[in-house]
């Protein structure tokens, strides 16, 4: 993976995500995201699980971790000369929103948004109430406090996270 590019990592995350989703669905769960991070010969593969309407247990994480680890080893998706640590957990209170279903499910919640670049030299970070997605699902609709609803292209989103409520 020497000299790897972001698109290569994104494709690998997507492929691992599809495998993880199949394993999660068989257990009555769904994935809430997959991240492959780190560099060189040391990586962290994080898989986040969700149970709509319920909580993720340690037993859920252990079962998915065992099955996913076995499949990843058998298919050698991450080359053998790269060591990685597999972590399977719940997405946490400040969960990252990734899927179209996430943006629909959490409409009305407060979120923090970070963009990949500064459009027109403006801001990169915003917070406000998630209004959902545009009709064609290509734009995130956000209502910052005291401002009108703004639309941000999904391709420009670096991350969207829930703001925890205590």
């Amino acid at each position: 993976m020497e000299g790897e590019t972001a698109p290569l990592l994104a494709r690998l995350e997507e492929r691992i995500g599809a495998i993880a989703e199949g394993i999660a669905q068989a257990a009555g769960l769904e994935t809430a995201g997959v991240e492959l991070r780190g560099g060189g010969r040391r990586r962290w593969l994080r898989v986040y699980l969700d149970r709509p309407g319920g909580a993720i247990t340690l037993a859920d994480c252990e079962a998915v971790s065992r099955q996913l680890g076995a499949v990843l080893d058998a298919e050698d998706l991450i080359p053998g000369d790269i060591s990685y640590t597999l972590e399977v957990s719940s997405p946490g209170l400040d969960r990252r929103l990734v899927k179209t279903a996430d943006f629909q499910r959490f409409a009305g919640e407060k979120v923090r948004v970070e963009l990949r670049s500064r459009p027109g030299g403006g801001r990169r970070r915003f917070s406000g109430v998630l209004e959902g997605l545009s009709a064609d699902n290509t734009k995130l609709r956000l209502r910052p406090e005291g401002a009108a609803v703004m639309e941000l292209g999904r391709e420009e989103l670096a991350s969207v996270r829930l703001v925890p409520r205590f």
Side-chain angles (χ1 to χ4, degrees):
M1 286 189 162
E2 197 73 29
E4 66 207 9
T5 62
L8 175 66
L9 287 177
R11 285 193 305 274
L12 186 54
E13 281 181 354
E14 187 176 311
R15 191 158 175 220
I16 293 169
I19 293 167
E21 185 68 31
I23 293 168
Q25 284 179 350
L29 307 168
E30 63 183 40
T31 59
V34 173
E35 296 177 328
L36 182 58
R37 298 291 181 258
R41 299 196 179 281
R42 188 73 182 143
R43 304 259 172 206
W44 289 267
L45 174 58
R46 294 183 180 109
V47 176
Y48 301 101
L49 300 176
D50 196 14
R51 180 188 318 261
I56 294 297
T57 66
L58 182 57
D60 294 330
C61 295
E62 289 173 341
V64 171
S65 179
R66 274 194 306 276
Q67 292 175 38
L68 181 58
V71 171
L72 292 176
D73 289 345
E75 293 194 16
D76 199 27
L77 288 177
I78 301 174
D81 64 335
I82 306 282
S83 71
Y84 69 94
T85 300
L86 174 61
E87 298 174 2
V88 178
S89 69
S90 73
L93 295 175
D94 66 338
R95 75 177 290 147
R96 190 169 176 215
L97 306 183
V98 179
K99 301 175 184 179
T100 297
D102 294 339
F103 295 110
Q104 295 164 342
R105 177 177 170 195
F106 293 104
E109 297 289 331
K110 189 168 184 182
V111 295
R112 284 188 320 269
V113 177
E114 185 170 338
L115 302 177
R116 295 183 193 283
S117 63
R118 295 174 186 216
R123 296 172 46 193
R124 262 186 79 199
R125 292 182 180 93
F126 300 89
S127 63
V129 175
L130 174 65
E131 294 287 323
L133 295 173
S134 61
D136 62 0
N137 292 330
T138 61
K139 294 185 175 118
L140 175 120
R141 295 178 44 78
L142 180 73
R143 184 173 28 91
E145 191 171 320
V149 172
M150 58 190 300
E151 291 190 342
L152 304 165
R154 284 181 73 178
E155 72 282 352
E156 289 300 315
L157 302 175
S159 82
V160 179
R161 292 190 173 273
L162 287 179
V163 173
R165 288 188 283 167
F166 297 102

